[in-house]
């Protein structure tokens, strides 16, 4: 978990600013507005300093993991030592990004999983299933209504943005 935190903490000062959060999410093809980044920080900023420290970051990761599986998701992140590469995705980083969305680890991103992750990030598109269905339709090459890893990889190599809302 510490290595994931260090990846987000661009200047190494022990805190993640809303700008560092926004940039790090952008590196994994999750675009958020300034207001959304601010809201995400506010959700976990228990001491009110406007920054995310390591303990608050663990809460953010649990929030992204979903209700009832937060501890498992935090452990998964720690065990996998996710490395987010600012120059693009290597195989491990791409798999890790896919697994953020594939919450039940069945190898497919469903409309519900996409909605859940987007909602946990505070994005309004996550609450509108039709928006999530449309995002999936744009990258669903085999027409099964879900995104498998190959479709995800193709989308990310082609610049991303089709599955995720771009602001």
């Amino acid at each position: 978990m510490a290595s994931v935190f260090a990846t987000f903490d661009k200047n190494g000062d022990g805190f993640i600013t809303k700008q560092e959060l926004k940039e790090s999410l952008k590196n994994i093809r999750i675009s958020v507005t300034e207001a959304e980044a601010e809201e995400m920080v506010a959700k976990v900023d228990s001491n009110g300093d406007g920054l995310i420290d390591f303990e608050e970051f663990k809460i953010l990761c649990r929030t992204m993991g979903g209700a009832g599986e937060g501890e498992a998701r935090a452990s998964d992140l720690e065990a996998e030592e996710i490395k987010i590469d600012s120059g693009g995705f290597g195989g491990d980083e791409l798999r890790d990004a896919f697994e953020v969305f594939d919450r039940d680890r069945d190898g497919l991103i469903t409309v519900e999983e996409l909605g859940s992750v987007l909602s946990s990030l505070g994005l309004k598109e996550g609450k509108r299933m039709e928006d999530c269905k449309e995002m999936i339709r744009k990258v669903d090459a085999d027409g099964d209504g879900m995104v498998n890893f190959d479709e995800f990889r193709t989308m990310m190599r082609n610049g991303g943005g089709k599955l995720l809302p771009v602001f």
Side-chain angles (χ1 to χ4, degrees), residues 32-80:
V32 296
T33 64
E34 196 74 23
E36 289 166 332
E38 195 168 303
E39 182 180 326
M40 291 170 70
V41 170
K43 279 184 182 180
V44 297
D45 182 18
S46 59
N47 63 4
D49 64 0
L51 303 168
I52 299 174
D53 62 28
F54 184 65
E55 292 304 313
E56 293 165 339
F57 182 73
K58 290 193 295 189
I59 294 167
L60 179 64
C61 290
R62 284 193 292 269
T63 301
M64 289 179 68
E69 57 180 278
E71 287 301 325
R73 173 55 93 192
S75 297
D76 291 342
L77 287 172
E78 191 170 313
E80 293 173 17

Side-chain angles (χ1 to χ4, degrees), residues 2-163:
S3 66
V4 178
F5 180 82
T7 302
F8 278 71
D9 179 16
K10 303 288 186 199
N11 64 2
D13 66 356
F15 299 97
I16 299 170
T17 65
K18 70 178 176 182
Q19 190 59 37
E20 288 172 322
L21 178 64
K22 187 176 172 187
E23 287 173 21
S24 294
L25 291 172
K26 184 179 178 184
N27 288 340
I28 59 172
R29 309 298 196 263
I30 299 175
S31 296
V32 296
T33 64
E34 196 74 23
E36 289 166 332
E38 195 168 303
E39 182 180 326
M40 291 170 70
V41 170
K43 279 184 182 180
V44 297
D45 182 18
S46 59
N47 63 4
D49 64 0
L51 303 168
I52 299 174
D53 62 28
F54 184 65
E55 292 304 313
E56 293 165 339
F57 182 73
K58 290 193 295 189
I59 294 167
L60 179 64
C61 290
R62 284 193 292 269
T63 301
M64 289 179 68
E69 57 180 278
E71 287 301 325
R73 173 55 93 192
S75 297
D76 291 342
L77 287 172
E78 191 170 313
E80 293 173 17
E81 300 266 318
I82 296 173
K83 306 278 191 248
I84 300 169
D85 176 310
S86 63
F89 284 104
D92 290 340
E93 291 86 6
L94 189 58
R95 178 61 69 181
D96 291 335
F98 180 80
E99 288 178 358
V100 167
F101 293 92
D102 181 20
R103 299 175 89 161
D104 63 5
R105 304 286 172 112
D106 67 352
L108 299 166
I109 300 170
T110 65
V111 170
E112 293 77 16
E113 287 171 322
L114 176 61
S116 178
V117 171
L118 296 178
S119 291
S120 74
L121 291 170
L123 301 174
K124 62 186 177 291
E125 288 82 1
K127 292 184 170 73
R128 298 191 300 247
M129 285 299 113
E130 197 50 48
D131 288 350
C132 294
K133 286 179 188 175
E134 182 59 27
M135 288 178 217
I136 285 182
R137 253 191 306 271
K138 289 179 181 179
V139 299
D140 181 19
D142 63 11
D144 65 356
M146 297 174 274
V147 177
N148 62 40
F149 182 70
D150 289 334
E151 292 164 337
F152 185 80
R153 178 178 41 227
T154 299
M155 177 206 58
M156 296 305 270
R157 289 196 174 142
N158 291 334
K162 289 183 182 175
L163 182 62

